[in-house]
Amino acid sequence: MDDKTILNRIAELVDEEHRLRADAQAGESGTDDDARTRLGELEESLDQCWDLLRRRRAARQTHGDPDAQGTRPKPAVERYLQ
């Protein structure tokens, strides 16, 4: 997965997260258990994507191989600060 693909995936996840949060604020769906579960999944996936992107960039800056970086498990990147 290259940086552009990761950034596109981040944009897709953020768009979906914004839609769910907007629906919740509008009093539509978004407050039910399924929506809360999905929001949690989105946050975890975003953490993974940001982590991978940062590690790829760091590898590139240190003359490493960005393609050698893989997605780490969700617990390893949970609550990643951006």
Side-chain angles (χ1 to χ4, degrees), residues 15-24 29-30 35 38-39 42:
D15 287 346
E16 184 179 353
E17 180 183 26
H18 287 174
R19 279 192 304 276
L20 284 172
R21 291 190 188 282
D23 289 349
S29 66
R38 182 62 186 146
L39 279 169
L42 289 169

Side-chain angles (χ1 to χ4, degrees), residues 20 23-24 29-42:
L20 284 172
D23 289 349
S29 66
T31 56
D32 60 0
D33 288 339
D34 290 339
R36 281 192 294 275
T37 299
R38 182 62 186 146
L39 279 169
E41 292 168 354
L42 289 169

Side-chain angles (χ1 to χ4, degrees), residues 46-61:
L46 280 165
D47 289 345
Q48 283 182 303
C49 288
W50 281 117
D51 175 69
L52 177 58
L53 184 63
R54 287 187 172 112
R55 287 186 302 108
R56 286 179 54 82
R57 288 176 175 172
R60 196 174 292 112
Q61 288 177 348

